[in-house]
Amino acid sequence: LHATDADIGGNAKIYFYFSNLVSNIAKRLFHLNTTTGLITIKQQLDGEESPNHKLLVLASDGGSMPARAMVLVNVTDINDNAPSIDIRYIINPINGTVFLSENAPVNTKIALITVTDKDADHNGMVTCFTDHEVPLRLRPVFSNQFLLETAAYLDYESTREYAIKLLAADAGKPPLNQSSMLLVKVKDENDNAPVFTQPFISLSLPENNSPGTKLTKISATDGDSGYNAEINYLLGVDAPSEFSLDHHTGILTAVRKLDREKQEKYSFTVLAKDNGMPPLITNATVSVTILDQNDNSPIFTHNEYNFYVPENLPRHGTVGLITVTDPDYGENSVVTLSILDMNDHFTIDPQTGVIQPNISFDREKQERYTFYVKAEDGGKIPHSSTSKVTINVVDVNDNKPVFIVPSSNNSYELVLPSANPGTVVFTVLAVDNDTGMNAKLRYSIVGGNTKGLFIIDQTTGNITLKEKCVVTDLGLYRLIIKAKDLGQPESLFSVVIVNLFVNESVTNATWIHELVYTNIETPVAPNIGTTDASSPTSDYVKIMVAIIAGTITVILVIFITAIVRCHQSPHLKASQKNKQSSEWVTPNPENRQMVMMMMKKKKKKTKKKKKKKHAPKNLLLNFVTIEEIKADDVDNDGNSVTLGLPIELEEQTMGKNNWGTIPTTFKPDSPDLARHYKSASPQPAF
């Protein structure tokens, strides 16, 4: 240090010294020359102990007020200290060794490693690491602290201990380093389950075995050691009682007689359990297949077969199906069917069991066929069984009803007009050779009952009068009776003609029979009514129409002649008119008045110069009434013409008629036929 003093002489002489505030360390390390002010080092400096020093120096000339100066000394570091390693165990070591379980999870903390270096700055920067690859790592947590922890799972079976060398090195040049050893031993845990040599065990055994038959020996290994590697064998909870397993040897045994028909396959688990704490268990699947033996006979699904077939089934159709089962397997279960007793009526398919007929069925000839079927399996020692088969022929609606009463269409029955409504006039009877509903009959009237005079009971066939007969109902009725069965799916029917003659008596049976035979030749239709030629009244009408036609022709000639004479003289005209009137006018007063009125009208028309041919036509209308019957008339079949003639003219013309020219089926001398005509027979008149 350098100081000046403005004085001279002794007053200018300066002394240097440390202040009392300087530390003893500094006084020990540094020396101050009192005269020259030179500061020197007395001992070697250590930057790690005191990196800097503060020296307060005083300069005095002997006065009371010395001068002050602060000297700051910084110690520059050099790399003269090696790093140090401090290990603080998290897992307590035993005799300097850390024991770590192989089941320890990853990142398990083992120890806290602290490294230090007394040097400063760059020389004091230290790193720590292991000298070789181990499943452990040093993870820095602070600038100079590291955690030693597991970096992977440990395995006792692969490496049982690890000698870890920790190295710490600073960053100086040249670097200084330090090492330390750490021993980690892996503790064995029961972390290996037993392993079966065959995870899936497949076995086969013939059925009907002897109890106690040994099947196989089951074995397993364990990667652990000691007590943890000892194995016991057990059956799973799904194992059937037919099997047992030795705990130590692993021998599997069938303790009971096995039957393939009851159970063909067994599948269950076996367990291998070690003695570790806790124990580890591994399972394997055992599949036992029971081999078949031909120890069962074929079994029919029914003790007796009853088949129902319709009659008229064509030959080689399907009658029925025989189903047979055999509990055995393979060839032992292949069944062949055959018909016993050499039955030629039927054949059976040996494999499918389809029965077909070689005959045609007719229930009316034979209702039932019975035979036996044999079933035989294909075993080396075959087994067989038989079953009874019955073929029942079911009735088919293949027979039409047949009428017993009446036995033919040419018979007739007399019905008295005096019979009361509800009186049974005739009973029809039909039979059907079928059975059941196919033979039940229903009767109905389908034709000929034009006036609805008769009704029939559909069950009994009784034909009864519906209402009291009147005069217009007399005559011959040709009823068409239908007998229909109730067969399914389609019913059959037959028809018969019942001739009912409504009259007081039968005076000319021969004529009635001829009329019935003539009507039979007419085709029968459901809508047929009574025929035109079935009544004497209709014959009368035809004859009378012919007579009237001739008579009218004569009258017209006379009438024309009279008109011509009227032009000659009024007297002759009047006398001629009276003469003509006496010849052809009816004695009925009403008709006479009508003729007179028509004559007056004719005179007026003559004066007006009308044509002569209209007069006979107008006069004719007084004798012939032409009436058209409408379609809605309930008492007639359709349009017809009714001729109303004066009584005298009717009797006169009938007396003049030559009956020898009339067909033989018409007998004019019968009083009943005359009554029929007068009472307007129900048959169509034209």
Side-chain angles (χ1 to χ4, degrees):
L1 298 177
H2 180 72
T4 63
D5 191 323
D7 295 327
I8 62 174
N11 294 329
K13 189 178 182 180
I14 300 174
Y15 296 95
F16 298 92
Y17 57 95
F18 289 121
S19 172
N20 294 330
L21 297 178
V22 176
S23 64
N24 294 329
I25 296 175
K27 292 178 179 180
R28 178 171 54 84
L29 295 176
F30 298 97
H31 175 266
L32 177 61
N33 191 304
T34 60
T35 304
T36 62
L38 179 64
I39 300 175
T40 58
I41 298 175
K42 296 192 302 182
Q43 295 181 4
Q44 185 178 357
L45 299 179
D46 189 357
E48 289 75 26
E49 182 179 354
S50 297
N52 54 63
H53 301 273
K54 291 180 179 181
L55 303 176
L56 182 59
V57 178
L58 300 178
S60 175
D61 59 356
S64 59
M65 293 297 292
R68 296 171 178 264
M70 178 64 71
V71 178
L72 181 60
V73 179
N74 292 311
V75 181
T76 302
D77 181 65
I78 61 173
N79 190 23
D80 58 347
N81 292 284
S84 63
I85 299 175
D86 181 37
I87 301 175
R88 295 185 179 182
Y89 291 97
I90 298 174
I91 297 176
N92 293 328
I94 300 175
N95 297 327
T97 301
V98 175
F99 289 89
L100 188 62
S101 172
E102 62 177 335
N103 290 336
V106 179
N107 301 328
T108 300
K109 278 66 176 175
I110 300 174
L112 178 63
I113 309 298
T114 303
V115 293
T116 59
D117 193 315
K118 294 180 179 181
D119 295 324
D121 298 332
H122 194 71
N123 295 328
M125 296 178 60
V126 182
T127 59
C128 189
F129 52 90
T130 60
D131 63 341
H132 61 276
E133 190 70 23
V134 291
L136 304 173
R137 66 185 173 190
L138 290 169
R139 182 169 60 87
V141 291
F142 296 107
S143 60
N144 61 339
Q145 287 186 331
F146 299 87
L147 273 176
L148 179 63
E149 59 185 10
T150 58
Y153 289 104
L154 304 179
D155 188 3
Y156 172 83
E157 286 70 32
S158 61
T159 304
R160 299 188 178 186
E161 64 179 23
Y162 296 94
I164 302 171
K165 183 178 182 180
L166 301 177
L167 294 175
D170 59 24
K173 291 184 179 181
L176 301 177
N177 55 62
Q178 184 69 32
S179 64
S180 179
M181 294 298 297
L182 188 145
L183 184 61
V184 176
K185 287 188 176 183
V186 181
K187 293 190 301 183
D188 180 40
E189 299 290 345
N190 189 26
D191 57 345
N192 289 281
V195 177
F196 283 96
T197 55
Q198 289 180 284
F200 183 82
I201 304 170
S202 180
L203 306 172
S204 61
L205 176 68
E207 64 177 333
N208 304 320
N209 60 289
S210 301
T213 301
K214 294 181 180 180
L215 302 180
T216 187
K217 183 179 185 300
I218 298 173
S219 63
T221 59
D222 196 310
D224 295 323
S225 60
Y227 195 73
N228 294 331
E230 295 179 1
I231 299 175
N232 290 322
Y233 299 98
L234 304 171
L235 286 173
V237 294
D238 60 341
S241 58
E242 287 83 357
F243 302 94
S244 66
L245 182 64
D246 189 276
H247 296 308
H248 301 289
T249 63
I251 295 176
L252 182 65
T253 304
V255 297
R256 295 182 184 177
K257 181 179 179 181
L258 302 178
D259 187 356
R260 192 205 65 85
E261 285 69 41
K262 291 183 179 179
Q263 189 167 348
E264 182 178 1
K265 284 190 176 182
Y266 296 88
S267 182
F268 53 92
T269 57
V270 291
L271 308 177
K273 176 183 176 184
D274 61 25
N275 291 328
M277 292 299 294
L280 296 180
I281 301 174
T282 302
N283 58 58
T285 301
V286 176
S287 177
V288 180
T289 301
I290 309 303
L291 302 180
D292 181 62
Q293 291 183 346
N294 191 23
D295 56 348
N296 291 279
S297 299
I299 300 174
F300 288 91
T301 54
H302 297 81
N303 295 330
E304 182 177 349
Y305 290 87
N306 283 276
F307 297 110
Y308 296 85
V309 297
E311 60 178 336
N312 302 327
L313 182 74
R315 290 188 179 186
H316 309 298
T318 300
V319 171
L321 177 65
I322 300 295
T323 304
V324 183
T325 60
D326 194 310
D328 293 324
Y329 179 77
E331 291 295 328
N332 297 332
S333 65
V334 176
V335 178
T336 302
L337 298 172
S338 60
I339 298 178
L340 299 178
D341 304 330
M342 301 298 291
N343 191 324
D344 296 334
H345 292 167
F346 301 92
T347 60
I348 186 170
D349 189 285
Q351 282 72 41
T352 63
V354 175
I355 299 176
Q356 293 179 322
N358 293 328
I359 58 174
S360 297
F361 296 106
D362 188 351
R363 189 200 58 82
E364 287 72 27
K365 293 182 180 180
Q366 186 170 348
E367 297 183 358
R368 186 178 293 104
Y369 299 87
T370 302
F371 54 89
Y372 286 87
V373 173
K374 176 183 178 182
E376 184 176 81
D377 62 28
K380 292 182 178 180
I381 302 177
H383 292 74
S384 63
S385 57
T386 59
S387 179
K388 182 180 179 182
V389 178
T390 301
I391 309 297
N392 300 281
V393 182
V394 179
D395 181 53
V396 174
N397 192 24
D398 57 348
N399 291 282
K400 290 184 177 181
V402 177
F403 279 95
I404 305 300
V405 179
S407 58
S408 65
N409 293 329
N410 56 11
S411 62
Y412 72 93
E413 188 74 16
L414 177 65
V415 179
L416 298 177
S418 60
N420 295 323
T423 302
V424 177
V425 298
F426 192 75
T427 299
V428 297
L429 175 63
V431 295
D432 196 311
N433 289 333
D434 296 320
T435 60
M437 296 300 293
N438 297 334
K440 289 190 177 182
L441 304 180
R442 294 293 182 266
Y443 302 96
S444 61
I445 301 175
V446 296
N449 194 20
T450 56
K451 290 189 175 183
L453 186 62
F454 303 96
I455 59 175
I456 188 170
D457 188 287
Q458 65 173 356
T459 304
T460 63
N462 294 332
I463 302 175
T464 58
L465 279 172
K466 184 178 180 181
E467 56 187 14
K468 188 72 175 179
C469 294
V470 296
V471 177
T472 58
D473 295 332
L474 301 179
L476 181 64
Y477 291 84
R478 187 187 185 197
L479 300 184
I480 302 176
I481 306 301
K482 177 181 178 181
K484 180 181 70 173
D485 60 32
L486 301 181
Q488 293 294 332
E490 183 178 356
S491 62
L492 302 177
F493 68 91
S494 297
V495 295
V496 72
I497 298 176
V498 176
N499 299 288
L500 298 179
F501 185 58
V502 181
N503 198 30
E504 293 293 341
S505 62
V506 179
T507 58
N508 195 340
T510 302
W511 174 82
I512 295 297
H513 280 292
E514 292 180 358
L515 185 60
V516 169
Y517 276 106
T518 302
N519 291 339
I520 291 175
E521 297 177 357
T522 303
V524 177
N527 59 353
I528 191 170
T530 53
T531 60
D532 296 342
S534 62
S535 174
T537 304
S538 63
D539 294 335
Y540 271 117
V541 172
K542 294 178 182 179
I543 296 172
M544 293 308 299
V545 169
I547 296 174
I548 293 171
T551 304
I552 291 174
T553 303
V554 176
I555 293 174
L556 289 175
V557 173
I558 297 173
F559 185 72
I560 294 171
T561 304
I563 293 176
V564 172
R565 291 182 180 182
C566 287
H567 290 285
Q568 298 176 359
S569 63
H571 179 73
L572 181 61
K573 182 179 180 180
S575 61
Q576 185 68 24
K577 179 179 65 175
N578 293 333
K579 182 179 179 180
Q580 295 291 335
S581 300
S582 63
E583 291 178 0
W584 42 260
V585 175
T586 179
N588 192 334
E590 296 180 358
N591 292 337
R592 186 178 297 111
Q593 292 177 3
M594 292 176 63
V595 173
M596 294 302 295
M597 293 175 64
M598 293 301 297
M599 291 298 294
K600 291 179 181 180
K601 292 181 181 179
K602 180 59 183 174
K603 289 179 180 180
K604 293 180 181 180
K605 293 180 180 179
T606 304
K607 292 178 181 180
K608 295 180 181 179
K609 299 180 180 181
K610 300 294 181 180
K611 293 182 179 181
K612 295 180 181 181
K613 61 182 178 180
H614 294 291
K617 182 178 181 181
N618 293 336
L619 184 61
L620 179 63
L621 296 176
N622 291 279
F623 298 94
V624 180
T625 302
I626 301 176
E627 177 183 359
E628 290 188 0
I629 306 302
K630 304 300 179 180
D632 56 353
D633 191 347
V634 296
D635 294 333
N636 293 279
D637 294 328
N639 295 333
S640 64
V641 178
T642 302
L643 301 179
L645 302 176
I647 299 175
E648 293 179 356
L649 181 60
E650 176 185 331
E651 293 177 352
Q652 182 180 1
T653 55
M654 289 180 62
K656 295 178 181 180
N657 183 55
N658 184 9
W659 298 106
T661 62
I662 303 175
T664 57
T665 57
F666 184 79
K667 304 298 181 180
D669 57 347
S670 174
D672 292 336
L673 299 179
R675 185 183 297 115
H676 294 167
Y677 170 74
K678 291 182 180 180
S679 62
S681 173
Q683 309 299 334
F686 230 164

